[in-house]
Amino acid sequence: MEDIAERIRSQKVDKIIVMVGAGISTPSGLPDFRTPGTGLYDNVDKYNVASAMDIFDLSYFVKDPRPFFAVAKELWPGKYRPNPIHYFVRLLHEKGVLMKMYTQNIDGFERGL
């Protein structure tokens, strides 16, 4: 990390692409989907669905939207706070070196900073 920070400080790097997954937001307390024991898919029993995929399936939603809204409420913006990784990405943007950020996350932290 120190090497990366020094390269950015010395302006040897002026175009950075960031690719992140769920791991960037789990330190904020936001559950990911697949981690055994804590992931959303591993805790579907409390939503009364046969499969975790049912929660995000439109045909299931039409029959019973309650599981989707329960998960949405759990993940609702404002409940969790960005962590240092999110602020680091924002700093890259402010310094004009962030060329692109690719994320699979649904939390929107990178937009709200």
Side-chain angles (χ1 to χ4, degrees), residues 14-108:
D14 62 351
K15 292 184 177 102
I16 297 175
I17 296 173
V18 176
M19 296 186 299
V20 297
I24 192 176
S25 296
T26 54
S28 295
L30 196 70
D32 65 10
F33 283 79
R34 294 179 185 86
T35 298
T38 59
L40 290 174
Y41 287 167
D42 208 33
N43 290 289
V44 295
D45 292 344
K46 65 182 177 181
Y47 303 115
N48 285 333
V49 293
S51 162
M53 298 305 290
D54 288 343
I55 295 170
F56 303 101
D57 182 84
L58 181 58
S59 60
Y60 190 92
F61 177 84
V62 170
K63 289 188 280 188
D64 184 6
R66 290 174 297 175
F68 174 81
F69 286 122
V71 169
K73 182 179 180 184
E74 193 174 315
L75 302 176
W76 192 254
K79 186 174 179 182
Y80 302 97
R81 304 264 58 54
N83 63 55
I85 301 166
H86 298 102
Y87 288 105
F88 176 70
V89 174
R90 180 179 75 177
L91 180 64
L92 294 176
H93 173 72
E94 290 172 351
K95 297 286 185 186
V97 296
L98 181 63
M99 189 171 151
K100 194 75 162 168
M101 178 174 178
Y102 296 97
T103 180
Q104 68 182 59
N105 291 344
I106 60 173
D107 55 54

